[in-house]
Amino acid sequence: MSAGVTAHARVRARPDGRGGTALPVLQGDGPLALRRVRGTPDEACVLLVGAMSGPLGGDRLTVSATAGPGARLRIGSAAATLALPGQRGGPAEYGVRLAVGPGARLVWAPEQLISAAGSDLRVTTHAEVEGDGRLVLREEQILGRTGETAGTLTSRLTVRHAGRTLLDQELACGPGAPGGWDGPAVLGGRRALGQLVVVDAAFTDKPPEPSLFGSAETGSAALTPLAGPAVLVTALAPDARLLRRLLDEAGAALGAGG
């Protein structure tokens, strides 16, 4: 079968010398279109706009974003990302590469990723933070659209600070995933899962205390300090709306809303 689409979107931010943030690199191709939208005076805000359906089977998509020293960058998406089976063989791959320089701030908060029935998607997210850079990274993943089974979704998240690995985790769900992924030790029947990672030098001397959010009915989230200036919030909920509420609550507690 023919190969899928290969596309790479790149964002690079730096201070503009007037108290704001410039974007000397803002480049997307194929299904990955980038648009700068209005942000705060000191922050550049970029939306990832899907110009085509997908990712489809066989596609290879990559987003790279760098916040240079002192820059303020926020990246979201205009709509949810829908992984579909397509007509090509093999899984789709979606890579996210984030870099945060000293004194910079980067927020990665796209809309939900939906794993439609029959799809096979491998997501890898890698973030590197230097010095007193601050990273807020939020991922939300929905297993199947309303009334359908989940596709196959493998997601790996790696976060490093000053060359040291703070978090490296992988989760596989759906057909073909290791047995037990939907059992009580993993998802417990829930179909919406999310992660919120905050790397902040302020946590070096005073890390947040472990805590829980939510309930059995609305879903639950656990805040866990990592071995470094960072925390991880892991959330499970029955649907996308309740998942967003949980992550918003945890983000507000960490001063990382939005």
Side-chain angles (χ1 to χ4, degrees):
M1 294 186 180
S2 60
V5 173
T6 298
H8 194 172
R10 300 172 178 86
V11 184
R12 184 176 295 274
R14 60 168 176 78
D16 64 5
R18 303 186 301 274
T21 296
L23 297 176
V25 177
L26 185 65
Q27 178 183 1
D29 56 27
L32 300 175
L34 297 170
R35 300 288 184 270
R36 181 167 186 170
V37 296
R38 181 174 298 178
T40 60
D42 67 337
E43 182 181 64
C45 186
V46 174
L47 284 183
L48 186 62
V49 181
M52 298 166 57
S53 296
L56 307 176
D59 289 353
R60 304 289 184 267
L61 309 181
T62 305
V63 178
S64 300
T66 300
R72 300 289 185 268
L73 176 62
R74 177 182 297 267
I75 302 178
S77 59
T81 297
L82 180 61
L84 296 167
Q87 298 180 349
R88 304 179 181 93
E93 297 181 3
Y94 196 143
V96 178
R97 304 290 179 263
L98 308 175
V100 188
R105 182 177 189 271
L106 193 155
V107 178
W108 171 260
E111 294 298 313
Q112 297 94 346
L113 168 63
I114 303 171
S115 175
S119 66
D120 187 353
L121 178 63
R122 299 173 183 176
V123 180
T124 57
T125 303
H126 186 99
E128 292 274 355
V129 184
E130 299 179 27
D132 59 350
R134 187 170 194 264
L135 170 70
V136 178
L137 184 156
R138 187 168 76 180
E139 295 182 334
E140 301 173 47
Q141 297 161 346
I142 313 301
L143 302 180
R145 292 169 291 191
T146 302
E148 74 175 9
T149 59
T152 299
L153 177 64
T154 302
S155 177
R156 183 169 182 176
L157 172 60
T158 305
V159 178
R160 291 167 53 84
H161 176 260
R164 177 186 178 192
T165 299
L166 305 182
L167 176 68
D168 191 355
Q169 67 176 22
E170 182 173 288
L171 178 64
C173 306
W181 67 270
D182 200 24
V186 188
L187 298 189
R190 304 300 174 95
R191 286 294 182 267
L193 58 150
Q195 295 80 231
L196 173 67
V197 178
V198 181
V199 181
D200 193 325
F203 297 158
T204 301
D205 298 323
K206 190 176 181 181
E209 293 292 329
S211 56
L212 299 175
F213 302 87
S215 66
E217 293 76 22
T218 63
S220 58
L223 185 156
T224 306
L226 299 176
V231 297
L232 167 68
V233 177
T234 303
L236 293 173
D239 58 42
R241 178 181 61 86
L242 293 173
L243 177 67
R244 176 66 58 87
R245 181 183 296 176
L246 280 170
L247 292 176
D248 283 349
E249 181 182 355
L254 292 168

